[in-house]
Each structure stands twice: as C-alpha cells, then as structure tokens.
Amino acid sequence: MDVFQLRDKVIGDYASYVSSFVEIRDRRIRALVDEEVGQGFLWPDPLVQVNPSFEPGEPLSELVDSGVLHPECLKIFASKDQEGNLGEPFRLHRHQVEAIQAARAGENYVLTTGTGSGKSLSYIVPIVDHVLRNGTGKGIQAIVVYPMNALANSQEGELEKFLCRGYPQGKPPVTFARYTGQEDSEKRNEIVKSAPDILLTNYVMLELVLTRVWDRKLVKQAQGLRFLVFDELHTYRGRQGSDVSLLIRRVREACRAERLLHIGTSATLASGGSWTDQQKEVSRVATDIFGAPVKPEFTIGETLRRVTPFRSPDDEGFLAALRDRIRGDLPPPGSYAEVTADPLYSWIESNLGVAEEVGTGRLIRCQPRALSGEGGAAATLSAATGVEEEACELALRRALLLGNMVKSPAGKPAFAFRLHQFVSKGEAVYASLEAEDNRHITLQGQQFVPGYKQQKILLPLAFCRECGQEYYTVRRTTDPQGRVVYSNRALSDRQENDDGKPGFLYFNSKRPWPTAGEQVIQRIPEAWVDHSGDSPKVGKNFKDRLPTQVFLDGLGREGQGGFRAHYLSAPFRFCLTCGVSYGARQSSDFGKLATLGSEGRSTATTILSLSSVRVLRRDEELEPHARKLLSFTDNRQDASLQAGHFNDFVEISLIRSALLKAVAGAGEEGLRHDNLTRRVFEALDLPLELYAFNPQVEFAQREATDRALRAALGYYLYRDLRRGWRITSPNLEQCGLLTIDYLSLGSFAPPKALEGAARTGRCPRDSAPDPQRCLPGTA
C-alpha cells in the first residue's frame, strides 16, 4: 500500500473533524486558522527514516562449536512453520552476539539499540542457553520485567514459537509463564505450584510477589535467581525509577541471588556526545538503577552496515547519474541487486538511513526528516542535483515505496522505512485588545505582541459554539498599584482565588452591548426578565450577572485606555451576540465555548484510529491479517479509557447511521414518533448473533428478543438527541442532517413566544438552547 496516501487520507479526515465543530465568526480569525491548519500547524509534514541494516554476527553453528551456546539452540532458534518443521537457524546481529558473549562471561550489560533491532533475543538466547545447561524444572531461573502487559503478551507468543513448535505438546525444553495480573485464579495457582524456568511479569506484580503471602512459594522457587531483565529500561525514571531501583535490591536479597546477572534494554538511554561518552553515561545510569556495576564496555550498541556503496556527494559522475535517475532517463530498479546499485538508493541511504559519526567514523542512524518543505530531503536533493524540488520529492516517494516492495535474498524489504506523523493539540487563538481589523492574531502562545516597543498583551480567545462570537478568556486581578488588570487564563480554569476572578471580555464593533434599558431587555435571556411590573425589567437576582462596561489599554489595565469592552464573570451564562443562554446547572464552560483544542486526547486518538482502520480495510492489496492498527499508551488506565471511548464512539456512530438511513428512506414525509424505532431497527439490520444471548431463538422468543433491542434502541435514539452531552460529536440535528418538527406548534404557540424562543434559544416546552428548534417547519 502507499503509506503516503494513507497519511494524507487520515490527516485529511482528522483536519475535517477538528475544523467542523469550531465555529468562528470573525473573518480574519477564521482565515488565519484555516491557513495555519492547512499548512500543517497541528500536524507538520511527516518524517521519514529508512530502517538500517545490521552487521551480522557469527552463525549459531559457530557459537555452538565454540561452546558459547548449547547445541539445542540450533533447533530452538530457527525458522519454523506452524507444524514445527525446521528451517534455517537464525543469523543473529553483531550486537546480539556481543550480548550473548557478555552473559556467558557473567557480566551485567545494557543493550541500547533502535526499534526493530531484535533486543529481546539478546537476553532470551542467553537465558535459554543457561536453562539448557543447568536443567529445566529447577525453579525460576530468570525473571523478565516489562513496563506494559502488551509487551509481556507479545513476548509470550514469541517464546511459544521458539520453545513449543517442534517439540512434543506440553514438553518444551525450557518452560515459561506470564504472571502479570491478567491470569485467572486457576492459572495463578498452577504457576505458584509449579514455577516455570522463565517468568514474564511487570514491576507492579513483581512487587506484589515479594509482599503477598500466597506468592511466597514463588520467591522460594526463585532462590539463586540467575537473570533479572528489565525491558525498556528508559521508562523507569523519577520516582518510579527509584521504586524500581529499590525493588531490584529487594529481589536480589529475597532470592539470595549472589550470581545475579542484571540486563537492561532500551532504544534511548543517553543522547549527545560520542558513542564512548554515551557508553559512560548509560553505564552510570544502569549502575544506579541495578545497584550493581555495569562496565562502560558492556553498554552494547547496534553495529550498522550499508547495503549500497557509499558515493561522495562531490562525485560529478554520481550526481549526473542521480539527475538522470530523477528525471526518468534511467529505468527504476526491479531486483535487489539493481536496488543496491541504484544511485538514488545510495543517496537515500546516506541521507535517510545511516551516517558516519563525527570523529569515529562509526555508522549511526540518520535523524528522521521530512521529504518536503524547507530543510526537507527533497530540498537537499534538489540543491545537490539542480532538479526541481517537486520532481525530487516525487522520485523519493516512488523510490521508497518500491524499495519497500523489493525483497532481499533473506526475504526482507530492501529498503523498509518508517513514516513518523506527529499530531499536536491546538490550544487557543490569541489576540490583542484592539478592534477587529487592527488587532494582532496568532496561534503561537506568547505573552505580548512581538515587534512592538510599547508592549501589548495577547489574550486567548474562546468561541461561542452557536454563533462563533469570540470572547477573551481572562482573570480579573488587582496589581500592586491597586489597578484592575485583566490577564490570560485557560478556559477550564474557573477557580476564584487570591489571584483574581475568572471571566470573559466581550467586544463586537458591529453588535456592541447596549447601555439603554429597553435594548438590554431585548438582549438578555427571557428567564432574566421580570414582568411583574408595568414594564419589563431585569430581575433582581440577575442584575449582578449583567455585562460590565470597562475601558482598557493594550496591557489590559482597566481605566487606562480607550478600548471599550464588556466584562462577564464566569461561568459563561449567555452569548451577547446570538442570545443563546444556559441554565444554572450547566456550570462547565466547555460545552458553551470552543477552542482549537476542544477535541481532547481520547477523541483525537479515536478519530485517527477509526480513519486508519477504514483506509486499511478498503485496501484490497493488503492481506486481511495486515488490516489492523496497534495502539500503545502509557498505562493501563489510559488504555481502558481509550478502549471504552472508541467502543462508545463506534456504537453512537452506528446508531446515527441507521437513523440517517431510516429518515432518508422515509422521503419528504419523514418519520413519526410511533414508527421511528422500528424503522431504525430495520435500517440497522444487525445479525441476530450480535444482540441475542441465544442466537438460535425462534418464533415468539425471536420477537421478544427483537422487541427488547427496539426498546433499548429507542432510548438511545432520544438520549443521543439531547443537546450538548457530546460536545465533540454533535448529533444529526445539530449537524443539519436531521430536522424535528412539532405538529400543530404554530396553532397553539403565540407568535411572540416563538420570537422569544428564537431570540433566547428556549422553547416554552423545550429546555434545549437551540434558536432553531422552535421555529415552525424547521424545529
């Protein structure tokens, strides 16, 4: 598949979603937001990095012949099919062999290599070799600790391939088990009763093993523990790092592990400086964590190699061939040998794959970089060859996609590469305290307008979710001189404290807030008007909630300038432009006002994931097992939250799609309340096995089952139409895909009541704040 098209489609879907629920009235602000978002302000150009090739180590047969590995390792660490038929033994990388040799020498070590470098084999092979020599069934000989259960689950699957395939069922040469808290009581009892040779766990469960009474037998069976491995060592930092460091010392003491080997793996533990400097730093950090010495020479890094010949960027012959290749005068390669000899792939490997470390000549990975834009790979290639940048970018994209399809003799892609796409959360639009046509607008968070000798403060804006009117979100404070000053605050910050009171500043030159009493009555919510006297007036309980006129200077100081605005205290009660109002129970301003970051992390992840899966499912070139998305998060709480959010989003989307289909199928007559649920049920057309406890039900039982689903469906349909409970997922009515009409509404509701509903957003029989819902024919 074309990963670049996948990226463009996913980002396009996300951009459409993010921009769909932020309404902005001001044309200048809308134009700036559209321009910045279109240029990738929230999602910059993707970064590309070619996966490097690794220097091979000695074959397994040589390691066995020299006594470094047990002979059975040739059978265990070999390619196998599902039936366990043996293929060729693995050819390990140089850094994997160095790790095996370090373990054989009894040295603590840390393997710090990049993703996809086979770090797990660097400790699995020595552990298996040790058990083969020492004998299986002698208690726990190795504990491997993972920061996430997903990694432990994945490693369990890999161990099953190595140690179970090709051996009689239930009789692997080395036993292993996962003990992470996911197991049922029967499995836990089995592990405690008969401990495996290798225990896969996480640091929280390892802590519990040391403290729980019923796990003491596991500790007894781990006496003389030989290996303690911490995968992804870089994740243990700060207070958690201190906890893990103390845990390691307690494990060593509890297991009486006098010959314990400490092993750590990580993609990044140090950066900057030469490789020698990094080895010293990693050695220092690992020694502190383990409480046992890790020599600098046993900080093992990856050893890379080129697959294409190095060509000097000053070689005119190389540059000429490169020009011909980009312009299409030379045919693209079709085999692995042609790829490795191609001048464009040589340039790609030098600029996106590997580079020489300054001072040592050691090959290291190139930093990921964008293909397009200023400083991108296409611009660099264009500067070197003189070919147009657009042609260079197109040639690079085609070459990367082709290199990923051409296979090496080992069956791997000749030039596999990664595409890194970062998506940032928008925070706010910032503006100065000036008229609409003159104020400074930016999406870059900063305190003052840049470039002015006389400072002007920048304040964040939030937008009415109904009409898009902008409001400065401020905190009203008093400076040491006793002057009232307005400073910036986040929309979610509604805490009133010694630093001041939260509120909003309103400015609209075309629709300013009036000063005359009658005009004020026409603009405030109907519920705020007292009709008990001869003429309507503001209710006494609402007078202190009216906007207050203030005059400000460029620094937000009250009474110091000529900028006329109106201050409203938080929470936001009604919009001064469109009149939509909110009840006292709606204390959160998130449902009333929007910022660029309104989508939230969970929603953003769900939208990006859903778009990716949809694109993958439509790609017929991919195998069914490849049309999947793997998502990682920092902890199990976030994972649980995200899983629930995703399932809920899909459920609501499914119900809404069925409702839209049912309404569209009904034609201009629409659907009445009494047949709505049945028609939506028919449009949904779910297979019986998806909602019936017993998919085999028939006759009356089938009807009862369907009736139960229709009852639940009817509840969800009307619950979803309740306005405002899904801020980032407005319902079909809010999106303009569905209209609800009330029969005979115009016959019994006075015209003035409808006018008031349109102005205040409240229908006499409906509490939803929507100015359109009570108008005949459109409500």
Side-chain angles (χ1 to χ4, degrees):
M1 69 174 301
D2 189 333
V3 69
F4 296 104
Q5 291 183 3
L6 169 65
R7 178 265 174 193
D8 292 342
K9 175 59 178 173
V10 171
I11 292 299
D13 289 347
Y14 183 67
S16 176
Y17 176 79
V18 169
S19 61
S20 65
F21 57 79
V22 180
E23 182 71 23
I24 299 177
R25 181 196 61 85
D26 186 273
R27 57 178 179 78
R28 289 185 62 224
I29 299 176
R30 178 81 265 178
L32 175 67
V33 171
D34 290 343
E35 179 183 2
E36 292 284 355
V37 170
Q39 293 178 357
F41 176 76
L42 301 179
W43 36 83
D45 290 337
L47 304 180
V48 175
Q49 185 183 40
V50 171
N51 293 352
S53 296
F54 301 100
E55 190 69 36
E58 292 86 348
L60 281 180
S61 58
E62 289 187 16
L63 296 176
V64 169
D65 293 341
S66 61
V68 175
L69 291 179
H70 189 278
E72 192 66 18
C73 288
L74 285 175
K75 181 179 178 181
I76 295 173
F77 299 105
S79 59
K80 305 173 185 177
D81 58 20
Q82 291 289 341
E83 287 71 33
N85 298 316
L86 289 179
E88 292 294 321
F90 295 159
R91 182 66 183 269
L92 300 178
H93 304 316
R94 168 57 53 194
H95 57 263
Q96 293 172 326
V97 173
E98 290 176 358
I100 294 170
Q101 293 171 337
R104 187 71 179 143
E107 296 285 351
N108 303 317
Y109 65 89
V110 174
L111 190 79
T112 172
T113 60
T115 306
S117 59
K119 288 189 290 292
S120 60
L121 280 178
S122 70
Y123 57 82
I124 291 298
V125 174
I127 290 174
V128 169
D129 174 72
H130 171 77
V131 175
L132 292 173
R133 296 173 186 271
N134 192 50
T136 185
K138 297 183 178 181
I140 299 174
Q141 303 184 49
I143 297 177
V144 186
V145 183
Y146 297 93
M148 294 185 292
N149 287 345
L151 296 175
N153 298 341
S154 175
Q155 191 60 64
E156 183 183 33
E158 291 300 308
L159 286 176
E160 184 177 355
K161 295 178 185 177
F162 297 146
L163 299 173
C164 296
R165 292 183 185 178
Y167 292 94
Q169 187 173 3
K171 295 183 179 180
V174 178
T175 59
F176 60 93
R178 185 195 65 194
Y179 199 65
T180 60
Q182 304 173 83
E183 301 75 26
D184 56 28
S185 57
E186 182 179 352
K187 182 63 177 179
R188 288 197 300 269
N189 293 334
E190 179 185 338
I191 293 173
V192 172
K193 182 178 179 181
S194 179
D197 300 317
I198 305 173
L199 188 70
L200 311 177
T201 187
N202 56 62
Y203 85 95
V204 175
M205 185 57 64
L206 184 56
E207 174 83 25
L208 293 175
V209 167
L210 295 181
T211 56
R212 293 194 302 203
V213 175
W214 53 86
D215 282 333
R216 287 179 179 174
K217 189 173 181 180
L218 274 180
V219 178
K220 291 181 180 179
Q221 295 187 75
Q223 299 298 296
L225 182 71
R226 180 57 173 160
F227 291 88
L228 181 60
V229 181
F230 275 81
D231 193 43
E232 304 293 345
L233 194 62
H234 67 277
T235 60
Y236 306 109
R237 59 184 66 187
R239 187 181 70 179
Q240 186 185 53
S242 299
D243 292 342
V244 169
S245 182
L246 293 173
L247 175 62
I248 292 172
R249 289 158 172 79
R250 292 172 57 207
V251 169
R252 192 163 55 228
E253 181 180 355
C255 297
R256 299 178 183 177
E258 300 177 356
R259 299 176 56 248
L260 182 64
L261 282 182
H262 306 77
I263 300 173
T265 71
S266 175
T268 53
L269 268 177
S271 60
S274 66
W275 171 239
T276 302
D277 296 332
Q278 294 179 29
Q279 283 182 303
K280 292 178 181 178
E281 178 63 17
V282 172
S283 170
R284 183 190 66 79
V285 172
T287 298
D288 288 344
I289 295 177
F290 291 147
V294 179
K295 300 175 184 177
E297 58 266 30
F298 290 106
T299 296
I300 302 170
E302 59 192 13
T303 306
L304 308 179
R305 67 183 180 91
R306 295 184 63 96
V307 297
T308 64
F310 173 75
R311 303 294 296 272
S312 172
D314 300 325
D315 185 344
E316 287 299 330
F318 170 63
L319 293 177
L322 203 53
R323 292 188 198 96
D324 293 340
R325 175 70 170 82
I326 298 170
R327 289 170 176 162
D329 295 336
L330 295 178
S335 65
Y336 180 75
E338 292 175 338
V339 165
T340 55
D342 187 273
L344 184 55
Y345 284 103
S346 179
W347 189 93
I348 290 174
E349 186 169 28
S350 296
N351 289 270
L352 299 174
V354 295
E356 291 186 357
E357 184 180 57
V358 177
T360 65
R362 177 174 174 267
L363 289 181
I364 58 175
R365 299 189 188 212
C366 290
Q367 291 295 321
R369 61 188 299 191
L371 291 186
S372 57
E374 184 178 355
T380 303
L381 182 57
S382 176
T385 61
V387 181
E388 298 79 8
E389 188 173 330
E390 293 77 7
C392 290
E393 181 182 354
L394 181 60
L396 287 173
R397 286 195 177 203
R398 289 175 174 174
L400 287 169
L401 293 173
L402 178 61
N404 190 58
M405 291 188 293
V406 175
K407 303 298 181 182
S408 70
K412 297 182 178 180
F415 264 77
F417 70 98
R418 299 176 193 156
L419 196 72
H420 305 266
Q421 177 63 62
F422 295 91
V423 179
S424 61
K425 177 183 178 181
E427 295 183 358
V429 179
Y430 297 84
S432 59
L433 292 170
E434 296 174 282
E436 292 98 336
D437 292 338
N438 299 324
R439 59 187 171 190
H440 181 82
I441 308 169
T442 180
L443 271 61
Q444 303 288 344
Q446 47 196 310
Q447 188 174 2
F448 299 105
V449 176
Y452 277 82
K453 294 182 179 180
Q454 186 176 0
Q455 290 181 333
K456 296 182 180 181
I457 195 172
L458 285 169
L459 296 173
L461 298 176
F463 305 93
C464 172
R465 290 190 181 272
E466 295 298 325
C467 68
Q469 170 64 43
E470 69 277 5
Y471 292 85
Y472 297 93
T473 57
V474 298
R475 181 169 289 279
R476 191 173 189 268
T477 61
T478 303
D479 66 9
Q481 288 74 36
R483 295 173 302 194
V484 175
V485 179
Y486 296 88
S487 58
N488 66 64
R489 73 172 177 93
L491 180 63
S492 59
D493 178 13
R494 296 194 301 108
Q495 189 69 30
E496 183 175 337
N497 49 39
D498 295 339
D499 293 333
K501 298 180 179 180
F504 307 90
L505 287 176
Y506 169 81
F507 177 81
N508 187 333
S509 60
K510 295 181 179 179
R511 189 172 169 77
W513 185 253
T515 56
E518 292 183 2
Q519 293 177 334
V520 171
I521 294 297
Q522 293 296 319
R523 297 275 294 272
I524 63 175
E526 183 68 23
W528 292 27
V529 181
D530 182 2
H531 295 279
S532 61
D534 296 335
S535 61
K537 58 184 177 180
V538 180
K540 63 179 182 180
N541 294 332
F542 300 97
K543 288 183 178 180
D544 59 343
R545 302 180 185 179
L546 290 176
T548 304
Q549 180 175 268
V550 294
F551 290 90
L552 310 173
D553 65 1
L555 289 174
R557 296 177 296 191
E558 188 173 308
Q560 303 294 312
F563 180 72
R564 177 177 176 265
H566 282 80
Y567 172 75
L568 303 86
S569 61
F572 188 79
R573 295 178 175 87
F574 74 103
C575 177
L576 277 63
T577 295
C578 68
V580 62
S581 62
Y582 302 92
R585 294 184 179 181
Q586 295 174 276
S587 59
S588 173
D589 290 333
F590 180 76
K592 311 166 189 176
L593 301 168
T595 65
L596 289 187
S598 295
E599 72 276 6
R601 182 177 62 180
S602 295
T603 304
T605 303
T606 294
I607 294 298
L608 291 168
S609 301
L610 184 61
S611 176
S612 301
V613 171
R614 291 176 65 192
V615 176
L616 292 173
R617 286 187 173 182
R618 286 196 291 261
D619 194 328
E620 298 181 356
E621 295 180 1
L622 288 176
E623 295 292 333
H625 68 272
R627 300 173 188 174
K628 298 178 181 178
L629 179 70
L630 186 61
S631 178
F632 287 92
T633 188
D634 292 338
N635 53 65
R636 67 183 70 182
Q637 288 82 6
D638 281 352
S640 300
L641 172 65
Q642 190 61 57
H645 188 282
F646 191 87
N647 288 336
D648 183 67
F649 189 92
V650 171
E651 176 187 272
I652 292 300
S653 299
L654 188 63
I655 291 175
R656 290 179 180 179
S657 65
L659 174 59
L660 183 60
K661 181 180 179 181
V663 171
E668 295 185 1
E669 293 185 2
L671 296 174
R672 297 173 63 102
H673 166 72
D674 52 6
N675 66 356
L676 173 66
T677 303
R678 178 173 290 276
R679 297 291 290 273
V680 172
F681 173 81
E682 294 170 353
L684 195 60
D685 194 24
L686 287 177
L688 184 62
E689 59 268 18
L690 291 184
Y691 63 91
F693 180 77
N694 178 15
Q696 308 301 323
V697 293
E698 295 180 312
F699 312 119
Q701 288 183 325
R702 171 64 185 270
E703 175 56 31
T705 301
D706 291 347
R707 186 167 56 250
L709 177 60
R710 285 196 297 271
L713 190 59
Y715 167 77
Y716 277 108
L717 284 170
Y718 283 102
R719 179 172 180 261
D720 186 46
L721 288 171
R722 189 181 74 186
R723 185 176 181 80
W725 80 291
R726 295 179 185 275
I727 301 301
T728 56
S729 299
N731 59 48
L732 297 182
E733 184 185 10
Q734 292 172 275
C735 294
L737 298 174
L738 171 72
T739 57
I740 299 178
D741 193 6
Y742 300 93
L743 295 177
S744 305
L745 179 64
S747 301
F748 68 84
K752 288 187 177 180
L754 294 178
E755 291 176 5
R759 177 169 57 82
T760 64
R762 295 201 177 277
C763 173
R765 301 183 61 185
D766 185 11
S767 61
D770 187 344
Q772 298 297 322
R773 289 186 66 171
C774 301
L775 299 181
T778 62

